[in-house]
Amino acid sequence: MPGNSESPPLERWPAPAKLNLMLHITGQRDDGYHVLQTLFQFVDFADNLQFVIRDDDQITRQSQDFTLPESEDIIVRAASLLRQCYREKNQTDSQQFGVDIKLEKNIPMGAGLGGGSSDAATTLVALNKLWQFAFSMDELAEIGLQLGADVPVFVHGFAAFAEGVGEKLSPYSPDEKWFMVVVPPVHVSTKDVFCNPQLTRDCSTIKLCDLSRRELRNVCTPVVVKSYPEVGQAIDIVNKYSKACMSGTGASVFSGFDTKAQAEDVLQKIKQNPVSASWFSFVAKGLNQSPLHHMLAAQ
């Protein structure tokens, strides 16, 4: 029977960033959603969340230096939706399920790194355990899809080749490279990118078995560069030292390396450039399993 078990006081649940190693759009559905193919990989750079179970039915979110109103926060929406789905499934509202959620926000918003989706997924996975709801990972992924197309991959926690609107996942294990990531100071609107009439929407479909033999590209890049010149600047700067790629709909630009030292060397050169010296940037290891699931396995 579910109950209000208490979270350990300092337990931090990771919500890792992701990179889209490629992104193709193969069509558009009648409802406006785009049909895509993309390759997700996690990196060991993350937001962190803490959950303190309450005795009442309130859901709150606390965070320093994060001004998004609670009512608009996908974290609060995720917690509320999970509770709603449990009550609908069990046809009960007799028990109260409240929580105080503390967010340490490290992943920049509007950067194509999946921070909001990852926060939502971690909220679903953590509260499913702490509230003792016993939803399966597949059920949590279905709930998460209502919050965003990228949420299921974070729920399942494995690097994946994604199709459909991003919900059809096939496990895939790309090389776990070291990545240098730079984020120019712009907030890219994913909605605006997907509404842009110049966006390529007729890419040929790639078979999973052919993925390793194909050149990986992101078809959103030309549209984003035209609308956000800073992203173009970032690509040009990174291209001086290594092949630059854009994650998702941007604004983050990344490059992969065999060693941490190589990635850090390029990062230092980028920090010495007057244009990019103050831009948010980091080096992180590619991961084919989410640290969230490493944490679950250890419990």
Side-chain angles (χ1 to χ4, degrees):
M1 188 73 172
N4 287 345
S5 62
E6 292 186 1
S7 173
L10 296 178
E11 192 166 36
R12 300 163 78 210
W13 294 74
K18 58 82 178 170
L19 295 175
N20 296 88
L21 303 184
M22 56 81 67
L23 177 57
H24 285 190
I25 299 173
T26 60
Q28 190 170 9
R29 306 191 315 192
D30 292 340
D31 61 7
Y33 282 93
H34 287 76
V35 181
L36 54 84
Q37 293 184 307
T38 189
L39 180 56
F40 288 108
Q41 189 177 38
F42 308 108
V43 294
D44 63 350
F45 183 81
D47 292 342
N48 290 290
L49 295 94
Q50 291 176 278
F51 301 89
V52 180
I53 302 304
R54 299 173 60 104
D55 293 329
D56 56 24
D57 220 37
Q58 285 192 303
I59 295 172
T60 72
R61 183 224 70 208
Q62 305 167 24
S63 179
Q64 294 181 339
D65 303 320
F66 187 59
T67 58
L68 187 70
E70 279 191 25
S71 60
E72 300 174 19
D73 195 335
I74 194 171
I75 296 171
V76 176
R77 290 165 51 211
S80 299
L81 181 60
L82 180 69
R83 184 176 63 188
Q84 175 187 332
C85 291
Y86 173 80
R87 286 173 170 164
E88 290 175 353
K89 179 179 180 180
N90 293 277
Q91 297 183 338
T92 180
D93 58 2
S94 59
Q95 284 185 273
Q96 293 186 317
F97 298 99
V99 63
D100 294 323
I101 305 172
K102 298 179 181 180
L103 170 66
E104 177 190 328
K105 189 66 181 168
N106 299 312
I107 303 171
M109 297 177 63
L113 297 173
S117 295
S118 188
D119 292 342
T122 294
T123 299
L124 294 175
V125 171
L127 289 180
N128 185 55
K129 180 178 178 64
L130 298 172
W131 280 340
Q132 302 178 27
F133 282 176
F135 284 112
S136 69
M137 286 297 166
D138 285 341
E139 289 174 318
L140 291 178
E142 289 181 12
I143 294 170
L145 187 59
Q146 299 178 54
L147 298 163
D150 286 355
V151 177
V153 72
F154 288 106
V155 168
H156 283 296
F158 53 78
F161 182 61
E163 300 179 275
V165 297
E167 86 288 4
K168 299 176 182 177
L169 303 174
S170 300
Y172 194 80
S173 297
D175 293 339
E176 292 183 327
K177 292 180 174 288
W178 284 92
F179 291 100
M180 188 282 304
V181 183
V182 59
V183 185
V186 293
H187 186 129
V188 175
S189 167
T190 298
K191 180 179 179 181
D192 289 349
V193 173
F194 280 114
C195 289
N196 193 303
Q198 295 181 332
L199 181 65
T200 299
R201 296 177 171 85
D202 59 354
C203 295
S204 57
T205 301
I206 301 174
K207 293 182 179 179
L208 181 60
C209 60
D210 295 331
L211 190 60
S212 63
R213 297 190 291 270
R214 295 289 295 266
E215 180 182 359
L216 303 183
R217 66 190 181 108
N218 184 339
V219 298
C220 294
T221 302
V223 167
V224 174
V225 166
K226 188 172 182 179
S227 300
Y228 303 88
E230 294 92 341
V231 177
Q233 284 183 304
I235 291 172
D236 290 342
I237 292 170
V238 174
N239 269 334
K240 293 178 181 178
Y241 310 105
S242 182
K243 182 181 178 181
C245 306
M246 188 183 76
S247 181
T249 55
S252 60
V253 175
F254 67 91
S255 189
F257 301 87
D258 292 330
T259 68
K260 183 179 182 180
Q262 291 172 332
E264 290 180 336
D265 180 62
V266 170
L267 180 58
Q268 290 306 311
K269 292 174 181 176
I270 287 173
K271 286 184 175 180
Q272 292 169 10
N273 188 310
V275 175
S276 53
S278 63
W279 291 357
F280 185 84
S281 56
F282 61 91
V283 166
K285 185 77 164 63
L287 301 171
N288 290 336
Q289 184 176 24
S290 168
L292 173 63
H293 284 258
H294 280 299
M295 179 178 176
L296 284 176
Q299 292 181 344

